[in-house]
PDB file of all heavy atoms in Angstrom:
ATOM      1  N   ARG T 102      28.558 -49.422 -81.427  1.00  0.00           N
ATOM      2  CA  ARG T 102      27.866 -50.327 -80.536  1.00  0.00           C
ATOM      3  C   ARG T 102      28.544 -51.678 -80.758  1.00  0.00           C
ATOM      4  O   ARG T 102      28.689 -52.168 -81.897  1.00  0.00           O
ATOM      5  CB  ARG T 102      26.463 -50.438 -80.777  1.00  0.00           C
ATOM      6  CG  ARG T 102      25.779 -49.068 -80.443  1.00  0.00           C
ATOM      7  CD  ARG T 102      24.275 -48.987 -80.663  1.00  0.00           C
ATOM      8  NE  ARG T 102      23.614 -49.898 -79.716  1.00  0.00           N
ATOM      9  CZ  ARG T 102      22.293 -50.094 -79.867  1.00  0.00           C
ATOM     10  NH1 ARG T 102      21.561 -49.601 -80.806  1.00  0.00           N
ATOM     11  NH2 ARG T 102      21.773 -50.915 -78.995  1.00  0.00           N
ATOM     12  N   LYS T 103      28.737 -52.441 -79.708  1.00  0.00           N
ATOM     13  CA  LYS T 103      29.223 -53.819 -79.725  1.00  0.00           C
ATOM     14  C   LYS T 103      28.075 -54.810 -79.657  1.00  0.00           C
ATOM     15  O   LYS T 103      27.660 -55.216 -78.530  1.00  0.00           O
ATOM     16  CB  LYS T 103      30.236 -53.978 -78.578  1.00  0.00           C
ATOM     17  CG  LYS T 103      31.420 -53.058 -78.804  1.00  0.00           C
ATOM     18  CD  LYS T 103      32.471 -53.230 -77.757  1.00  0.00           C
ATOM     19  CE  LYS T 103      33.667 -52.336 -78.047  1.00  0.00           C
ATOM     20  NZ  LYS T 103      34.685 -52.584 -77.106  1.00  0.00           N
ATOM     21  N   ASN T 104      27.568 -55.105 -80.776  1.00  0.00           N
ATOM     22  CA  ASN T 104      26.267 -55.822 -80.919  1.00  0.00           C
ATOM     23  C   ASN T 104      26.362 -57.261 -81.419  1.00  0.00           C
ATOM     24  O   ASN T 104      25.363 -57.835 -81.824  1.00  0.00           O
ATOM     25  CB  ASN T 104      25.246 -55.054 -81.808  1.00  0.00           C
ATOM     26  CG  ASN T 104      24.887 -53.776 -81.251  1.00  0.00           C
ATOM     27  OD1 ASN T 104      24.807 -53.624 -80.008  1.00  0.00           O
ATOM     28  ND2 ASN T 104      24.585 -52.793 -82.051  1.00  0.00           N
ATOM     29  N   VAL T 105      27.552 -57.862 -81.339  1.00  0.00           N
ATOM     30  CA  VAL T 105      27.687 -59.182 -81.762  1.00  0.00           C
ATOM     31  C   VAL T 105      28.542 -59.943 -80.803  1.00  0.00           C
ATOM     32  O   VAL T 105      29.512 -59.469 -80.292  1.00  0.00           O
ATOM     33  CB  VAL T 105      28.460 -59.290 -83.167  1.00  0.00           C
ATOM     34  CG1 VAL T 105      28.799 -60.710 -83.582  1.00  0.00           C
ATOM     35  CG2 VAL T 105      27.670 -58.613 -84.242  1.00  0.00           C
ATOM     36  N   ALA T 106      28.082 -61.212 -80.492  1.00  0.00           N
ATOM     37  CA  ALA T 106      28.955 -62.076 -79.627  1.00  0.00           C
ATOM     38  C   ALA T 106      28.792 -63.479 -79.992  1.00  0.00           C
ATOM     39  O   ALA T 106      27.617 -63.941 -80.340  1.00  0.00           O
ATOM     40  CB  ALA T 106      28.452 -61.887 -78.212  1.00  0.00           C
ATOM     41  N   ARG T 107      29.844 -64.219 -80.109  1.00  0.00           N
ATOM     42  CA  ARG T 107      29.869 -65.652 -80.597  1.00  0.00           C
ATOM     43  C   ARG T 107      29.358 -66.526 -79.407  1.00  0.00           C
ATOM     44  O   ARG T 107      29.761 -66.438 -78.282  1.00  0.00           O
ATOM     45  CB  ARG T 107      31.271 -66.119 -81.016  1.00  0.00           C
ATOM     46  CG  ARG T 107      31.298 -67.525 -81.475  1.00  0.00           C
ATOM     47  CD  ARG T 107      32.647 -67.997 -81.764  1.00  0.00           C
ATOM     48  NE  ARG T 107      33.188 -67.365 -82.942  1.00  0.00           N
ATOM     49  CZ  ARG T 107      33.237 -67.871 -84.215  1.00  0.00           C
ATOM     50  NH1 ARG T 107      32.604 -69.011 -84.410  1.00  0.00           N
ATOM     51  NH2 ARG T 107      33.773 -67.131 -85.192  1.00  0.00           N
ATOM     52  N   TRP T 108      28.400 -67.400 -79.755  1.00  0.00           N
ATOM     53  CA  TRP T 108      27.847 -68.345 -78.768  1.00  0.00           C
ATOM     54  C   TRP T 108      28.639 -69.756 -79.009  1.00  0.00           C
ATOM     55  O   TRP T 108      28.619 -70.180 -80.127  1.00  0.00           O
ATOM     56  CB  TRP T 108      26.373 -68.552 -78.970  1.00  0.00           C
ATOM     57  CG  TRP T 108      25.758 -69.583 -78.098  1.00  0.00           C
ATOM     58  CD1 TRP T 108      25.518 -70.839 -78.263  1.00  0.00           C
ATOM     59  CD2 TRP T 108      25.461 -69.317 -76.651  1.00  0.00           C
ATOM     60  NE1 TRP T 108      25.016 -71.479 -77.165  1.00  0.00           N
ATOM     61  CE2 TRP T 108      25.061 -70.484 -76.162  1.00  0.00           C
ATOM     62  CE3 TRP T 108      25.481 -68.265 -75.872  1.00  0.00           C
ATOM     63  CZ2 TRP T 108      24.463 -70.672 -74.825  1.00  0.00           C
ATOM     64  CZ3 TRP T 108      25.030 -68.342 -74.536  1.00  0.00           C
ATOM     65  CH2 TRP T 108      24.595 -69.598 -74.074  1.00  0.00           C
ATOM     66  N   THR T 109      29.286 -70.137 -77.952  1.00  0.00           N
ATOM     67  CA  THR T 109      30.113 -71.385 -78.113  1.00  0.00           C
ATOM     68  C   THR T 109      29.608 -72.518 -77.228  1.00  0.00           C
ATOM     69  O   THR T 109      30.175 -73.629 -77.345  1.00  0.00           O
ATOM     70  CB  THR T 109      31.550 -71.059 -77.759  1.00  0.00           C
ATOM     71  OG1 THR T 109      31.656 -70.549 -76.431  1.00  0.00           O
ATOM     72  CG2 THR T 109      32.180 -70.151 -78.764  1.00  0.00           C
ATOM     73  N   ASP T 110      28.640 -72.422 -76.410  1.00  0.00           N
ATOM     74  CA  ASP T 110      28.069 -73.366 -75.574  1.00  0.00           C
ATOM     75  C   ASP T 110      27.331 -74.367 -76.398  1.00  0.00           C
ATOM     76  O   ASP T 110      26.920 -74.124 -77.527  1.00  0.00           O
ATOM     77  CB  ASP T 110      27.109 -72.774 -74.514  1.00  0.00           C
ATOM     78  CG  ASP T 110      27.840 -72.100 -73.299  1.00  0.00           C
ATOM     79  OD1 ASP T 110      29.124 -72.006 -73.376  1.00  0.00           O
ATOM     80  OD2 ASP T 110      27.124 -71.609 -72.390  1.00  0.00           O
ATOM     81  N   ALA T 111      27.150 -75.526 -75.775  1.00  0.00           N
ATOM     82  CA  ALA T 111      26.271 -76.571 -76.455  1.00  0.00           C
ATOM     83  C   ALA T 111      24.858 -76.099 -76.408  1.00  0.00           C
ATOM     84  O   ALA T 111      24.441 -75.365 -75.535  1.00  0.00           O
ATOM     85  CB  ALA T 111      26.399 -77.880 -75.671  1.00  0.00           C
ATOM     86  N   GLY T 112      24.048 -76.447 -77.428  1.00  0.00           N
ATOM     87  CA  GLY T 112      22.727 -76.042 -77.456  1.00  0.00           C
ATOM     88  C   GLY T 112      22.590 -74.587 -77.851  1.00  0.00           C
ATOM     89  O   GLY T 112      23.561 -73.854 -77.896  1.00  0.00           O
ATOM     90  N   ASP T 113      21.345 -74.133 -78.137  1.00  0.00           N
ATOM     91  CA  ASP T 113      21.070 -72.788 -78.593  1.00  0.00           C
ATOM     92  C   ASP T 113      20.793 -71.967 -77.289  1.00  0.00           C
ATOM     93  O   ASP T 113      20.063 -72.382 -76.450  1.00  0.00           O
ATOM     94  CB  ASP T 113      19.904 -72.738 -79.591  1.00  0.00           C
ATOM     95  CG  ASP T 113      20.349 -73.342 -80.873  1.00  0.00           C
ATOM     96  OD1 ASP T 113      21.509 -73.411 -81.206  1.00  0.00           O
ATOM     97  OD2 ASP T 113      19.407 -73.745 -81.614  1.00  0.00           O
ATOM     98  N   PRO T 114      21.135 -70.680 -77.384  1.00  0.00           N
ATOM     99  CA  PRO T 114      20.838 -69.802 -76.309  1.00  0.00           C
ATOM    100  C   PRO T 114      19.410 -69.344 -76.318  1.00  0.00           C
ATOM    101  O   PRO T 114      18.779 -69.322 -77.318  1.00  0.00           O
ATOM    102  CB  PRO T 114      21.764 -68.659 -76.535  1.00  0.00           C
ATOM    103  CG  PRO T 114      21.931 -68.610 -78.008  1.00  0.00           C
ATOM    104  CD  PRO T 114      21.923 -70.055 -78.483  1.00  0.00           C
ATOM    105  N   THR T 115      18.871 -68.882 -75.170  1.00  0.00           N
ATOM    106  CA  THR T 115      17.686 -68.158 -75.147  1.00  0.00           C
ATOM    107  C   THR T 115      17.938 -66.688 -75.334  1.00  0.00           C
ATOM    108  O   THR T 115      19.043 -66.224 -75.398  1.00  0.00           O
ATOM    109  CB  THR T 115      17.053 -68.334 -73.688  1.00  0.00           C
ATOM    110  OG1 THR T 115      17.889 -67.727 -72.670  1.00  0.00           O
ATOM    111  CG2 THR T 115      16.762 -69.854 -73.309  1.00  0.00           C
TER     112      THR T 115
END
Side-chain angles (χ1 to χ4, degrees):
R102 297 179 65 187
K103 295 181 177 185
N104 292 330
V105 174
R107 182 183 292 265
W108 179 261
T109 57
D110 284 2
D113 290 338
T115 64

